[in-house]
Amino acid sequence: MSVIRKSSLDILSVGKWILRRDCRLLSAVPEKVEVAEKAQEEIEKLSGRKRRFNNPVLEYRHVYPEFLPDPNPKWRNSLREKMERADMLKRRSQIDIPEFYVGSILAVTISDPHAQGKTNRFVGICIERKGCGLRAEFILRNVVDHQGVEVKYELYDPTIQSIQVLRLEKRLDDKLYYLRDALPEYCTFPQDMDPEMLPEGTPVPLNPVQVKLKPKPWLERWERQDLKGVSNIEEHLKEKDRVRRELRKTPWEKYDLMKQYRKTIPAEDQTEIWSEVYNQLQQMRVSRKKLSRKRLFTTPKPQLG
Amino acid sequence: MFRSLINRLSSAQTCGIHTTPSLNEVRLLTRLRVVDNSEIGKRAMAEGKPPKVICVYNKKRVGLIGDRVMVAIKGQKKKGILVGLKQNQKVKVPKFDSNNIVLIDDNGTPLGTRIHVPIPTILRTILKERTHAKGADYTKLLGIATRFV
């Protein structure tokens, strides 16, 4: 397990990269927002401070992606979505579902009728997060006793007792399915890992580690997926694979505005949703922070942050 | 040149190249991995001749977690229990990177004395349900497990 800590300069540049990527992802937001964001970025650069977004829409769609409905118009139903959001908030008032991303390392404790102590804890790296509303789910992967194990959890499952983020970070790709074909050291995490605390106000760090794949056969054709987090993909390819990759490329898709539009929720809809849930989410956040601070004061740990 | 390549590829695609991912089901003649320390299992795995399924004992003939299978291993017929699958699983049930099997005899007693990979906890309930008062006792397998996930 290798943790690459970057210097503060690097973190700044990474933050900028994330910003840029955000702009691209939110295709439906009018350009004004982007311009405003850029201006903010420049202000940040000038003042030399790291600050998070003030606009809740821009921040919350990454922190709470499951609050946005599926963009497919066939599956939209405003009443159902509203009820689901209410249920999600109710569940969130019961347990703390923290902010995490694909690539973060989580520990999930569930109450398991099959286990001896009636609880079951699993530690692993989040390789996939998908679904919206109450159907939101994520997959954790770990290598236990030299055996790769993956467990899928639903985020709003009532049997989940706690979700703990042991290391909050992002990776270079949106899905980490290639870890299944990577060398086992890249997804081996000890079950008794200690949570790493980030100082407050820092942006989520990006882990630029590039994994090494095992030789073929692979589970998928990774060479066609334009992965950034794999270093040795070219070693394993034959001439035939390279030719086919060239033939299968779709370079025009980044210009397909309609395709992007269909994949995203328009900014107007988003503001409606976020205005509905923002207050409660913010309240929960603040109260959780207070609670954790209290706990910190009662049991001070050495070397925080 | 490009067109000829495309033609060749498109003709190749009609020749039965599958583009959908495989289901990784345990069926007839699937190769499995023995995860206990029984002598025959260890030797078969070391020789690079993992056991093959020759029968799955359920109605659908597709093995699920906790199902009994008969395998051909080093020229012998042995029974075993599936303790971990590669196939996609339900929520909260672990999915493994290989199809794991523990060899048992007719009474349900495992041939080895230790299992060196994690075992899904749901297997406890499944094997208890499968065990009847007078038949084979499969829960002995849980006693030799080292770790549950």
Side-chain angles (χ1 to χ4, degrees), chain B residues 40 51-52 54-55 57 69-73 76-80 101 103-106 111:
Chain B
I40 184 168
K52 260 192 229 170
I54 47 179
C55 184
Y57 293 103
V69 290
M70 181 179 274
V71 292
I73 176 168
Q76 296 176 39
K77 286 199 287 184
K78 293 277 176 197
K79 280 181 185 166
I101 191 187
L103 296 178
I104 56 169
D105 63 11
D106 285 336
L111 300 186

Side-chain angles (χ1 to χ4, degrees), chain A residues 188-280:
Chain A
T188 311
F189 304 101
Q191 291 285 329
D192 51 351
M193 218 173 126
D194 286 328
E196 289 171 16
M197 297 283 226
L198 281 175
E200 237 170 83
T202 48
V204 181
L206 182 104
N207 189 353
V209 67
Q210 288 195 320
V211 304
K212 278 185 182 161
L213 294 188
K214 286 184 222 165
K216 281 186 173 188
W218 294 332
L219 292 167
E220 289 174 44
R221 292 180 177 123
W222 305 119
E223 75 272 10
R224 292 186 190 173
Q225 297 185 11
D226 196 21
L227 300 171
K228 295 182 198 88
V230 182
S231 61
N232 66 339
I233 215 161
E234 294 293 330
E235 289 172 19
H236 303 302
L237 295 187
K238 290 177 189 163
E239 193 49 44
K240 181 182 76 178
D241 300 323
R242 292 202 184 91
V243 169
R244 288 195 183 170
R245 176 173 62 185
E246 288 305 312
L247 287 172
R248 290 277 173 165
K249 260 186 186 168
T250 51
W252 56 85
E253 262 185 5
K254 62 184 172 193
Y255 304 111
D256 194 346
L257 295 180
M258 264 329 275
K259 193 164 185 173
Q260 278 186 27
Y261 178 76
R262 277 191 222 107
K263 274 185 186 167
T264 46
I265 301 288
E268 304 88 59
D269 294 7
Q270 281 198 26
T271 44
E272 218 171 87
I273 292 166
W274 293 124
S275 64
E276 186 188 316
V277 294
Y278 177 75
N279 281 336
Q280 287 196 49

Side-chain angles (χ1 to χ4, degrees), chain A residues 38-60:
Chain A
K38 262 178 205 161
Q40 201 184 3
E41 196 183 326
E42 262 160 28
I43 291 166
E44 263 175 51
K45 223 192 289 172
L46 284 176
S47 58
R49 267 186 310 169
K50 284 164 228 158
R51 217 165 22 135
R52 310 204 78 175
F53 305 120
N54 287 332
N55 195 344
V57 174
L58 291 175
E59 187 187 353
Y60 274 24

